[in-house]
Structures are given as C-alpha cells and as structure tokens.
Amino acid sequence: MECYKEFAYIYDELINSDIDYKAWGKFIIDICDNYNLSKEYYLDLACGTGNLTQVMYKLFKHSFGVDMSVDMLTEADSKMSTGVLKPQFICQDICKLNINKQFDLITCGLDSVNYITDEKQLKSLFLKVKDNLTQDGLFIFDINSYFKLKEIIGSNIFTFDNDDVVYIWDNSFEDDIVDMYLTFFIKRGNVYHKTYEQHQERAYKTEYILNLLKECGLICVQTFDNYENKKISKDTLRITFVVKNI
C-alpha cells in the first residue's frame, strides 16, 4: 500500500497535536529503569519521522531507526543532532528485519502493529524481534484497541482544517479491517494542492496478541492504557505492551 508518500513533511504538524512523544519517552524510560535495563543498543521500528527516536536516542550508546518510507526517514534524519550518538536510519520492512545486532530496547509506536494486516506477517515481526532482543531486553509497542478501530473509527468520517492543511478522513470497517481513505488539501503559497492517501489497519484483540507473542517465544509482562500508569479497560483506545524474552 502506498502511504506516507506525499505528506511526510507535514506529518509532524498533524500528529504532534495529539501525541506527546516526550511523555511517551519518559514513560518508556521509567519502565526501562524499573527493569534495570542496559542502555547500550536501541531500535525504533516503524520510526516514521523519528519523533520517538528523537526523544530516546541520546540515552543509548547506539540507536537505530527502521521504516519503509524513504521520505519519512529523510525527515527523521534531519531532526537528529550531529555527533557520534546520531541514530542510524535504515529503509526496511520491519517484518523482514535484517540487522545483525542485539538490542536492549526495541520500540514500535503509534499503532504501527495495526498496519500489519496479515497475521503471518505479524508473527514474522514478533519472531524478528525475538531474534534481535537481548535476553534481558524489552520490546515495548502499542496498538489501537479493537474497541477504537471498530467503535470509534469504524465506518465514520472525520474532517480537519487548520488553514494550511485540510483533510477528509473516510473510513470503512469490515471483517476486522478498517480501510482509511484520506483526501488532503495542502496549502503552498496561495494555492491548495490536492493529494490522496489510503491506509489500512487490522483490529487485533488483546488475547490474540498475547497468545501470538507467547507462540513466538516472547511474554507480555505488563499492559497499560496508552503510555500511562493505568490498567486497560473495555474502552481503552491505545494499549501499550511491555514484552520480554521467555
């Protein structure tokens, strides 16, 4: 699927109004400290424009970011401070991860797991994480909950307008898949340019994720409502998983 192509450069403007990456990073680091995690190697999967990478990478000696979009990785690289600590960004399918490293921390944020709609591919991702995670390492990721994708996003239409960007977000939910059709009007000078994006996410139930992790040699040691110290409930919108090797 073609996505995040035309509007990589405005992605941050759209997402940062909803996501507090500094708060997410602090929560993740607190978890790492609770588990006395070594801070040698860090990997951010589906890193996008590097918002979470930017918060985390200076705490580790070596950091990597992986994403399928060259445009997103270009934006990510431009944000990082120069120097020996600068992350290495790799254009790669996270389900076919091929990095000859062992990482103390692997993250995969902002419902990137939901974008893996093929269950075999999701299993491949978890197996790759298993292969690239140190024995005492942590894998921390989140999903849009089944409730959110089915009941909130569902087959509904949303709109956004901040003068510089206008979009119409039209959704269709069927057989646990939500197809998202986005029409953007992006202002350049005095003219609005029209572009399209199509995205697709699968709604996964929590028990399915937990069972698949275990099948892949991983175990979820904690779940949270979003990136906060709250228990998940039936109306949780984002579920965060903290995972270790078995």
Side-chain angles (χ1 to χ4, degrees), residues 17 19 23 37 74 97 101 110 121 179 218 228:
S17 61
I19 305 298
L37 189 77
T74 300
L97 190 66
K101 303 286 184 185
L110 202 61
Q121 290 297 305
D179 287 296
L218 299 164
E228 300 177 26

Side-chain angles (χ1 to χ4, degrees), residues 183-217:
T183 304
F184 287 87
F185 300 89
I186 302 170
K187 189 175 184 179
R188 296 190 182 98
N190 295 319
V191 178
Y192 284 89
H193 293 262
K194 187 177 183 180
T195 186
Y196 300 95
E197 290 276 330
Q198 181 179 350
H199 296 247
Q200 190 177 75
E201 292 194 16
R202 176 177 288 277
Y204 288 108
K205 294 184 178 179
T206 306
E207 282 303 314
Y208 175 82
I209 295 289
L210 296 176
N211 290 333
L212 185 59
L213 285 166
K214 191 171 183 180
E215 185 179 333
C216 294

Side-chain angles (χ1 to χ4, degrees), residues 77-204:
D77 188 66
S78 69
K79 294 179 183 178
M80 307 301 155
S81 302
T82 58
V84 295
L85 294 178
K86 190 170 182 178
Q88 180 177 340
F89 290 105
I90 301 170
C91 187
Q92 198 174 95
D93 182 345
I94 62 173
C95 297
K96 300 176 182 177
L97 190 66
N98 185 21
I99 302 178
N100 189 25
K101 303 286 184 185
Q102 292 283 296
F103 295 92
D104 303 294
L105 174 65
I106 300 175
T107 58
C108 188
L110 202 61
D111 48 276
S112 297
V113 164
N114 296 101
Y115 276 86
I116 304 172
T117 58
D118 186 303
E119 294 172 346
K120 291 181 180 178
Q121 290 297 305
L122 182 57
K123 183 175 182 179
S124 176
L125 169 64
F126 289 165
L127 288 172
K128 290 294 185 181
V129 168
K130 167 75 174 178
D131 290 343
N132 288 273
L133 193 65
T134 62
Q135 188 57 47
D136 297 321
L138 293 177
F139 174 38
I140 300 178
F141 70 95
D142 68 70
I143 63 169
N144 276 333
S145 68
Y146 194 93
F147 168 77
K148 178 181 178 180
L149 288 180
K150 184 175 188 293
E151 303 297 337
I152 304 300
I153 294 179
S155 294
N156 297 311
I157 299 174
F158 304 93
T159 60
F160 174 88
D161 182 355
N162 73 350
D163 292 334
D164 291 327
V165 178
V166 179
Y167 71 72
I168 302 166
W169 178 11
D170 189 2
N171 304 294
S172 175
F173 186 89
E174 186 176 358
D175 296 330
D176 292 344
I177 297 288
V178 58
D179 287 296
M180 308 174 188
Y181 304 94
L182 298 102
T183 304
F184 287 87
F185 300 89
I186 302 170
K187 189 175 184 179
R188 296 190 182 98
N190 295 319
V191 178
Y192 284 89
H193 293 262
K194 187 177 183 180
T195 186
Y196 300 95
E197 290 276 330
Q198 181 179 350
H199 296 247
Q200 190 177 75
E201 292 194 16
R202 176 177 288 277
Y204 288 108

